[in-house]
Amino acid sequence: ATYVLGRELYDERVAAWAVVLLSLFPPFFLKSLEFRNDNLWNALWMLALLALIRRKRPFVIGLILGAALAASIKTLLLIPALVIAAIIIRAPRRGFFEAIAGFVIVPGAIATYFAAIGTWNDFVYCTLTFNSEFAWMRSSLWIVRAIFPFAFAAVVWIALRFRATSELWRYFFAVTMAVFVVMLACLWILISPRDFLPMMPLAAIFGAAAMTRTRSLVIVSVIFIAALWYYADRFENKTDWHTTMMDQALRLTHTGEMLIDYKGETIYRRRPFYYVLENITRAQMAYGMIRDTVPEDVVRTRTYVAQADGPIWPPRARAFLSENFLDMGRLRAAGQWIRDDGTFTIAIPGEYVIVDERGEARGVLDGNEYRDARTLTAGAHRFEGAKERRAVMWAPAFRRGHSPFHLRDRDF
């Protein structure tokens, strides 16, 4: 799409070099490879621009932009940028209602589906309410929003002052870029490089056109390659830790068993806690807007496996998991180290086994002879046996080859 658009705006040479520069630009290289909705969003946006420059029917353009909105709510910034640019260049207003008719189809179908299955409130909360509530918590947000009217007015003033009488498409896309960047920087809640993905192809086209000498393009490409080598950590494979974690998740848990992790990284198991623990969730937890119910949810759903310890856990959840789960390598299983006096507590009722470095332990538990795994209720228990280090752990994890004495998948 970048190549075709570059050819439409300039020529074959600019189009080819635009693709080279875009592909080697470090943020685009890495962010466009991530498995995220932003890449579908960017692809639909580029298709909409191609449909626009080739004067396809307004209905088709609206349909593609509606699909882009379904891919990312950030389309609400792209559309005003297009409209404002169109107003500045005094584009004809024909086909407006036809474009609206195409635009509402995909979002309308999705909204209808969620309403039909009874999850309309969740749909609105997850797409609008959740993020908008965070906006009022950022103490510095008012500063950039106060700047917005002046920055926006400056963009409009410059656009009107230098309004092109020829090459309207180049002028149109330049204004679109400027308006979008100002709106994103001043109005959006959280900003990351992937939010600028839709503008990067246009920037690459204009950049390739501005560098008239091939030598300049080659030098910039070499600089991008060097920056990419640094930005991508020398192209080292750093996915092994994630692969081993998912491998352990498949061996430590079976289908139907829950697993508490940060954001669903383990992919294959349901989580007992509704919220993913990303920046906005943790900020709302810190302000008391979302309760940390991880301990209650873990106990209620009988979740016996947890993600590794780390600062992402909220304080209450982290304390509970650290006290009631044992490290198995990449993940943790429910259990405790037995204290010197033989006491331990069970937070999640279930089947447990007592183990030592050699394997399953034998002794007396709560006054009864104990040789095998048994069901333990929540609360305090005592183990009477040899004075050596032992642990009580979720029995299925032990049967599946895991032990806190022999951590697995550490050396990946």
Side-chain angles (χ1 to χ4, degrees):
T2 303
Y3 178 82
V4 175
L5 193 61
R7 190 176 58 190
E8 296 279 357
L9 293 176
Y10 291 96
D11 53 37
E12 297 281 350
R13 174 184 174 276
V14 170
W17 274 108
V19 173
V20 172
L21 295 179
L22 180 65
S23 302
L24 296 177
F25 184 55
F28 187 86
F29 178 88
L30 288 183
K31 300 307 175 185
S32 64
L33 295 178
E34 293 180 349
F35 191 74
R36 287 179 175 269
N37 61 310
D38 298 279
N39 295 309
L40 174 61
W41 173 54
N42 192 26
L44 291 169
W45 162 251
M46 292 300 292
L47 287 176
L49 295 188
L50 289 177
L52 189 64
I53 200 171
R54 290 187 168 183
R55 292 181 169 81
K56 300 296 182 181
R57 292 187 60 87
F59 178 86
V60 174
I61 299 171
L63 181 66
I64 298 173
L65 288 174
L69 177 61
S72 175
I73 197 73
K74 291 189 287 286
T75 306
L76 293 178
L77 299 180
L78 290 173
I79 294 175
L82 286 175
V83 172
I84 292 169
I87 293 174
I88 290 176
I89 70 170
R90 298 174 182 173
R93 291 175 172 79
R94 297 187 303 272
F96 175 77
F97 292 103
E98 184 182 348
I100 292 294
F103 178 78
V104 300
I105 290 178
V106 177
I110 293 175
T112 301
Y113 168 76
F114 279 99
I117 64 175
T119 57
W120 173 256
N121 291 335
D122 295 288
F123 173 67
V124 173
Y125 177 76
C126 291
T127 55
L128 297 174
T129 310
F130 177 77
N131 291 328
S132 62
E133 287 178 347
F134 175 73
W136 305 107
M137 297 158 48
R138 285 184 56 192
S139 57
S140 60
L141 192 60
W142 70 271
I143 299 176
V144 291
R145 290 193 171 174
I147 295 174
F148 172 71
F150 304 99
F152 182 76
V155 168
V156 173
W157 180 80
I158 294 172
L160 291 174
R161 181 180 176 87
F162 298 97
R163 181 161 49 196
T165 55
S166 60
E167 304 298 345
L168 281 180
W169 280 120
R170 300 180 195 173
Y171 178 75
F172 173 79
F173 288 128
V175 175
T176 299
M177 290 176 60
V179 173
F180 175 81
V181 169
V182 168
M183 293 180 66
L184 179 68
C186 296
L187 301 180
W188 208 243
I189 300 172
L190 292 176
I191 301 175
S192 71
R194 65 182 63 89
D195 298 330
F196 294 94
L197 280 174
M199 298 300 112
M200 291 181 189
L202 295 175
I205 293 171
F206 289 128
M211 290 179 276
T212 56
R213 300 179 63 180
T214 302
R215 180 189 301 176
S216 300
L217 291 164
V218 172
I219 292 174
V220 172
S221 299
V222 172
I223 293 174
F224 279 3
I225 292 173
L228 182 59
W229 181 82
Y230 173 80
Y231 190 70
D233 295 326
R234 300 172 298 280
F235 299 109
E236 294 178 1
N237 182 6
K238 294 192 174 182
T239 62
D240 289 349
W241 71 272
H242 202 104
T243 304
T244 57
M245 181 178 66
M246 290 190 288
D247 180 60
Q248 186 162 109
L250 290 171
R251 285 189 282 105
L252 189 54
T253 61
H254 287 176
T255 303
E257 295 172 350
M258 288 195 171
L259 193 160
I260 178 68
D261 57 11
Y262 302 142
K263 305 178 184 181
E265 296 93 336
T266 50
I267 299 176
Y268 304 102
R269 302 294 179 246
R270 293 183 59 194
R271 303 170 69 251
F273 186 61
Y274 181 79
Y275 298 92
V276 294
L277 299 173
E278 42 76 62
N279 292 335
I280 297 180
T281 301
R282 287 183 287 153
Q284 293 192 24
M285 282 183 164
Y287 278 87
M289 299 173 64
I290 294 176
R291 291 180 58 240
D292 177 4
T293 61
V294 170
E296 291 81 4
D297 293 337
V298 166
V299 173
R300 174 180 53 83
T301 58
R302 298 296 190 268
T303 299
Y304 298 100
V305 180
Q307 170 69 286
D309 187 26
I312 292 181
W313 293 112
R316 187 166 177 264
R318 187 175 188 181
F320 172 81
L321 295 175
S322 296
E323 182 179 357
N324 297 288
F325 281 75
L326 294 169
D327 189 8
M328 298 289 128
R330 299 299 303 152
L331 301 174
R332 291 181 285 179
Q336 268 190 357
W337 291 107
I338 297 178
R339 305 178 187 91
D340 292 338
D341 61 359
T343 60
F344 61 91
T345 57
I346 293 296
I348 312 168
E351 189 182 19
Y352 289 85
V353 64
I354 293 177
V355 296
D356 58 17
E357 289 189 271
R358 296 179 301 277
E360 192 169 342
R362 299 173 184 269
V364 177
L365 178 67
D366 295 336
N368 298 318
E369 186 176 355
Y370 175 65
R371 292 182 178 276
D372 246 330
R374 61 178 291 181
T375 300
L376 298 179
T377 59
H381 298 269
R382 176 185 292 274
F383 172 77
E384 298 176 7
K387 299 299 182 181
E388 58 181 293
R389 197 178 193 205
R390 284 187 168 88
V392 57
M393 64 176 289
W394 184 48
F398 180 75
R399 296 193 193 104
R400 295 164 190 171
H402 295 270
S403 168
F405 290 99
H406 306 287
L407 305 183
R408 300 182 60 172
D409 302 316
R410 286 290 210 189
D411 300 324
F412 48 82

